[in-house]
Amino acid sequence: MKKYIFSALALLFAATSCDGISQNSSNDYPNEVIEAIMTRRSVRSYNDEPIADEIMDKILECGIHAPNGMNAQRWEVRVVKSQEWIKDATEAWKNSMPADSPMAKQFEDPSFKNMFRNATSVVFIAHRPGPCSQIDCGLMAGNMMLAAKSFGISSVCMMGPIGFFSTEAGKPFRETLALPDGYELLICVGMGYSDETPETPERHYSKVKYVK
Ligand SMILES: Cc1cc2nc3c(=O)[nH]c(=O)nc-3n(C[C@H](O)[C@H](O)[C@H](O)COP(=O)(O)O)c2cc1C
């Protein structure tokens, strides 16, 4: 009888406690890929060191090797490394913003450098809208950010600045990106060498469950 009670309790325990994954707070990573994934953070403060061309090329190459629906590659990528472009776009963006906008608060912050969370390079990703195109572009951005991390380069994925490029003030900058007809800007990834060590924003482990 005791044996049955024990088995029933064990089963109940398994049913209620073993359906999720557990958090491992150890900093021992089994390989460099896992380390890059687990230590990548969105960085919003960068120093002025530029990213070397050959490193940026490899990051971009990793981007276009992302899985994508039917290998249709409904994406276009534009890389801005020009500090002048970034400065001018930021100036136009600032000037187009009403002074009482909550966004305008950030200009008072002495650490504010530009509208791309202070990154030194910006990779714009546009898509030709289709069933998988947004997912494809997200996977592409993910590949780029992890490749960047593997070179010690930090990044931040952003949708916030994208709206500006379809405004009157933003149009001239969008035009310099020379996107083919039918393509829409979707996201941009700011990159550079980090000037901060952000905390890891909490992840909800209970959202992951094994189906029995
Ligand atoms: C599609 C997407 C859009 C995002 N847009 C912005 C943005 O406009 N500005 C920003 O500072 N961060 C943006 N982020 C970064 C998220 O805030 C960040 O990934 C999230 O808080 C988790 O933090 P972590 O990247 O450090 O793990 C975006 C991330 C994604 C995936």
Side-chain angles (χ1 to χ4, degrees):
M1 182 64 178
K2 253 188 187 168
K3 198 171 133 195
Y4 289 123
I5 292 173
F6 181 77
S7 305
L9 281 175
L11 264 176
L12 186 68
F13 180 76
T16 53
S17 69
C18 293
D19 54 349
I21 58 167
S22 55
Q23 181 165 8
N24 183 352
S25 54
S26 153
N27 285 341
D28 287 337
Y29 303 108
N31 62 53
E32 288 179 357
V33 177
I34 308 282
E35 182 173 2
I37 291 170
M38 296 302 289
T39 60
R40 180 212 57 81
R41 295 275 68 84
S42 292
V43 164
R44 300 177 177 92
S45 177
Y46 295 87
N47 65 33
D48 294 337
E49 188 179 342
I51 300 172
D53 287 346
E54 62 274 20
I55 292 181
M56 184 57 100
D57 284 355
K58 193 48 80 184
I59 292 170
L60 299 168
E61 188 184 0
C62 289
I64 61 171
H65 276 266
N68 65 97
M70 299 175 75
N71 198 28
Q73 302 172 58
R74 300 170 78 101
W75 51 41
E76 287 280 332
V77 178
R78 299 292 180 269
V79 186
V80 176
K81 296 184 78 184
S82 159
Q83 297 311 295
E84 202 182 335
W85 193 103
I86 292 173
K87 188 169 145 277
D88 291 351
T90 301
E91 213 47 42
W93 176 70
K94 261 168 113 169
N95 294 338
S96 70
M97 202 175 291
D100 59 350
S101 155
M103 296 283 284
K105 278 242 171 309
Q106 62 189 298
F107 309 140
E108 293 158 25
D109 183 341
S111 65
F112 177 84
K113 287 184 182 167
N114 68 54
M115 66 185 288
F116 304 105
R117 293 293 192 191
N118 308 316
T120 52
S121 292
V122 188
V123 178
F124 287 94
I125 302 177
H127 71 138
R128 184 158 57 87
C132 306
S133 60
Q134 296 206 13
I135 295 168
D136 297 343
C137 291
L139 291 168
M140 168 185 257
N143 265 20
M144 288 183 188
M145 290 188 282
L146 292 176
K149 179 74 195 169
S150 77
F151 287 117
I153 291 166
S154 297
S155 62
V156 57
C157 180
M158 291 169 282
M159 289 193 94
I162 294 298
F164 167 69
F165 294 95
S166 50
T167 64
E168 271 312 303
K171 256 190 205 157
F173 297 94
R174 189 193 186 283
E175 275 165 24
T176 65
L177 302 179
L179 295 169
D181 286 346
Y183 277 79
E184 291 173 11
L185 277 179
L186 186 62
I187 40 179
C188 58
V189 181
M191 291 184 195
Y193 290 92
S194 179
D195 221 6
E196 64 171 0
T197 312
E199 293 290 312
T200 304
E202 188 191 0
R203 267 22 184 205
H204 303 300
Y205 278 69
S206 62
K207 287 190 178 278
V208 185
K209 292 184 171 49
Y210 285 99
V211 177
K212 290 181 187 149

